[in-house]
Amino acid sequence: MKFFVDSADVEAIADLNDLGMVDGVTTNPSIILKSGRDIKEVTREICEMVSGPVSAETVALDADGMIGEGRELARIADNIAIKVPLTWAGLKACKTLSDEGRMVNVTLCFSANQALLAAKAGATFISPFIGRLDDLNLDGMDLIAEIRKIYDNYDFGTQILAASIRSANHMKEAALIGADVATAPPNVIKSMANHVLTDKGLDAFMLDWAKTGQKIL
Ligand code: E4P
């Protein structure tokens, strides 16, 4: 499973990138607001650091507007994936932009039917939002499993990009189901390394090592 970082925090992305953990980056208008940065400036900086797809989201609500904004965002770098919402206008924009050979990430997906439409429209990525479904007491992972089944039934090339990931457990479940990509905030990716037994075991080893009186260096 590829890891995308759901953030526009350049330092946090760089930190993970140095460890080879970053296959791409996703942003959205809320993430840009949180960064306090200019969208083009921060996106260019991220694209220079990360070689994989960097999603930048359009904000127009009509297809022509999204297409125009998408082309403008794509001028930032070759690895831009244009993000459009899963509306009828977004699907039209997806078809046009993907026919032009651009990467398109169709976002705000909450049903298998929406994912099926995005694949038909030529999306490179479909972004089902797990956490926001869980917030409503629905099971976001069921949606990932449904989309996986449908895409495999018909050999759709659209990649499932599990989004709105809130926990390390979400990452594990997305990987088990077979999501192609999961995008998560830096703290969630880092939390995947945590285990109480690792901490406990390390404490015990340190105590015993101190008793040996030895040094390695
Ligand atoms: C995905 O591309 C979105 O940017 C993101 O995952 C949304 O997550 P949220 O529901 O935590 O805002």
Side-chain angles (χ1 to χ4, degrees):
M1 184 171 75
K2 283 176 263 187
F3 282 15
F4 286 5
V5 187
D6 204 22
S7 174
D9 179 335
V10 178
E11 274 182 28
I13 296 168
D15 193 30
L16 289 166
N17 198 39
D18 288 345
L19 286 180
M21 299 286 178
V22 183
D23 300 303
V25 171
T26 50
T27 64
N28 63 35
S30 307
I31 286 173
I32 295 296
L33 173 68
K34 194 174 163 195
S35 77
R37 302 277 311 273
D38 172 80
I39 181 171
K40 290 184 186 171
E41 193 186 278
V42 72
T43 307
R44 184 170 297 108
E45 229 173 277
I46 295 168
C47 287
E48 280 165 6
M49 177 184 5
V50 174
S51 55
V54 175
S55 289
E57 189 157 340
T58 59
V59 291
L61 297 177
D62 63 301
D64 285 344
M66 288 178 205
I67 292 164
E69 290 177 355
R71 287 175 181 149
E72 178 66 17
L73 291 169
R75 282 160 46 88
I76 295 172
D78 289 343
N79 54 334
I80 287 287
I82 301 158
K83 216 170 173 189
V84 297
L86 214 156
T87 57
W88 202 250
L91 291 170
K92 280 187 192 171
C94 173
K95 174 79 176 118
T96 301
L97 292 166
S98 50
D99 280 353
E100 291 174 358
R102 305 178 197 278
M103 287 189 285
V104 181
N105 175 357
V106 180
T107 190
L108 289 168
C109 170
F110 294 96
S111 79
N113 274 337
Q114 289 181 318
L116 183 51
L117 290 172
K120 301 284 281 183
T124 315
F125 301 103
I126 181 68
S127 291
F129 276 37
I130 296 169
R132 294 191 195 188
L133 284 167
D134 287 359
D135 289 346
L136 299 177
N137 283 332
L138 298 166
D139 191 340
M141 284 301 160
D142 284 351
L143 175 57
I144 304 288
E146 284 181 357
I147 300 171
R148 181 73 283 157
K149 174 89 180 111
I150 291 170
Y151 281 9
D152 288 350
N153 281 349
Y154 301 100
D155 277 336
F156 283 118
T158 300
Q159 295 181 50
I160 301 173
L161 197 175
S164 187
I165 285 197
R166 308 270 171 81
S167 66
N169 207 38
H170 275 160
M171 293 294 278
K172 180 187 78 176
E173 289 180 34
L176 282 170
I177 291 169
D180 300 287
V181 190
T183 190
N187 64 315
V188 170
I189 294 176
K190 283 187 167 180
S191 76
M192 292 168 74
N194 299 343
H195 199 290
V196 65
L197 291 180
T198 305
D199 296 341
K200 207 175 153 191
L202 192 56
D203 286 348
F205 286 157
M206 290 306 100
L207 283 173
D208 287 344
W209 182 248
K211 288 179 200 158
T212 69
Q214 299 180 37
K215 280 195 162 67
I216 294 174
L217 285 176

